[in-house]
Amino acid sequence: MTSRAPRLLTVLLAVMLAALSGYAVVANWQQAELVRDVAAAGTDTDAYQKAAFELTTEMSMLQGAMLERDGEERNQLLGANQRAGDAMTRMAAIDQDHHEAAADLAQRHRALHMVVVGFLGQIDHGDDSAAMVTLEEVIEPEYTAMMSDLLNEQNHHLADYEQQQADSLRDSRGSVVTVLVVFVLGLIVLAGFGFSRRAHRRQVEAMAATDRLTGLHNRAAFVEHAARALPDNPTVLVINVDGFRDVNEQLGHRIGDLLLVEAGRRLASLVRGDDVVARLGGDEFAVLLTDRDPRIGETIAVRLTEAFETSFVLDEVTVDLEVSVGAATAAAGEDVITVLRHADAAMHEAKQQRAGFHRFQGEDRQDAAARLSLLGELRRALDDPDQLTLHYQPKIAVGSGELVGVEALARWHHPARGPISPAEFIPVLEVTNLMHRFTEQVLTMALRQARAWLDAGHRVPIAVNVSARSLLDPQFPGRVAALLAESGVPGDLLSVEVTEYALMSDPDTAIAALHHLAEAGVKASIDDYGTGYSSMTYLKVLPIAELKIDRSFVLDLADSASSRALVASTVELGHRLGLTVVAEGVEDEAAVQALREIGCDTAQGYHFAKPLPADALTARLEQALQTT
Ligand code: C2E
Ligand code: MG
Ligand code: MG
């Protein structure tokens, strides 16, 4: 159903309801009108009957008046004449439909009254024969005529009355039927409306759970399915298409998209109906295997690898690709994100070893135990300012040699074990929600330092590393804005460094978060650029300001032609996209020289300074101020 259908139905429903209530009002009004008519007709009929009765009484008394001449009889006659006259006047007043005929009768009766008075006079004068003539030739014929007209009128009137009653009955039946029909129609439209809303909602839900390109489940839907399956210890496969990035960049996005669609189709055809296949983002797919035997992972992985041995023919272009598959089986107490992380780590292992498949297990699990104790210690460290601190490493403008900012790097000094490298504890944090507290702590410390430097007259932009988990946390941008407001540090003094992995694992959410941060003035950099697999397509749409080329490309810059070519092309690409480019890991003057030739904007590395405690950096800032 199109999205216009519910709108149309809403309008239809509204029109019908309006028609129904309008009709009910009109029908009611007509009905009341009819009842009033019928009641009035009833009253009219009574008036006719009364008039006929009084006229007959008057007539018989007139005849009696001839025989008995006493005053009592005469009074009764006059009384009867009066009542008959009144009855006729009333009849004329009530009967609107036959008003003229009734009024005429009343008029004739009033005229006759004069004749009756004359007739009584004749009797009083003893002129009986004249009185007899008056009675027989004038009064009696007129009475008879009036009586006959009166009965006629009454008959007409009765016929009308019966007709009206019949009409009223028919109309009221008709209106009951019409109201019923309109009501049932209204119910049908209402039901249709409810149905279409439900269909629409189902459609929206399905859309929200579907990857638009491949029609497979998306990451959110996958996580939901996996969470439901967790009690059965499912196995999760993460599948990455090797070399997809090259296809996308060299053959274009159209072919890239076709490839993803076809890859998704092949994956879906290899698993059972109740296994869930999803595209996690980019060229990463996942399969949730509901089979309780963890060895099913290997079986499916072999099948997947074989399925990719057949070439892809896309728009007459033939492409050969392989996949790397990582498997992880959920252990008791693990959440979905952890299992996915494990499968992802296994996939990266498979890719690195060019093995095709790797399972997360054994020694990885021992690691997991060690990680667990590390986590407990980290939790305590988060509350201890002596354990967790920040060091700051200068970012230097290649042209002028000036300090253009610093990168905040976390330092953990364990009370017993001494310093523990971020490379060791960040990945442990990354798979738990403790990461949120850690990031918040780092941001708080960094902004406090920025504030202190501002108060001392140094405007030092600070970059903070933000992990995927934190960036993708819906609360994150709001927390950053709140911390900025609390510290009073302008948003443009803060930037976040995120890795390609964080951006690519859920690009939509990541992009939304970066836009949100940009509203607060906070810029973003892609860290370790070149080690992940962000495509050019994304680079163009990502709201970022800076690329940081990974130090693995910078270390041998002076000696390796390929590294130099890579760095040069990245710098050029960055500049075309309006980005600042930073080289990480600059350890000697030769590298600085090469960067100068290439035109790289900024450099960072031991050659300029190691990450320094805040005091040491403050001293540097003061020194720089004095020399200028
Ligand atoms: P990174 O963000 O790429 O940080 C640069 C790393 O390179 C730092 O390592 C830094 O000490 C090191 N480095 C700088 N110059 C040179 C050089 O000339 N030669 C060599 N060999 N290394 C250099 P560090 O401090 O051990 O941090 C490692 C990684 O841990 C960081 O990589 C970052 O990804 C992560 N990390 C550090 N602090 C945080 C943090 O507060 N939050 C998050 N999420 N991650 C952090
Ligand atoms: Mg960094
Ligand atoms: Mg880096």
Side-chain angles (χ1 to χ4, degrees), residues 407-409 463-465 497-498 527-528 548 584 604:
E407 176 177 4
L409 291 156
V464 169
N465 293 283
E497 294 190 4
V498 293
D527 205 352
D528 305 344
K548 296 189 76 178
E584 297 184 307
Q604 183 183 347

Side-chain angles (χ1 to χ4, degrees), residues 7-30:
R7 239 183 94 99
L8 202 72
L9 273 170
T10 313
V11 171
L12 199 65
L13 182 68
V15 167
M16 278 196 95
L17 284 178
L20 181 65
S21 32
Y23 182 81
V25 169
V26 171
N28 241 322
W29 179 69
Q30 281 179 339

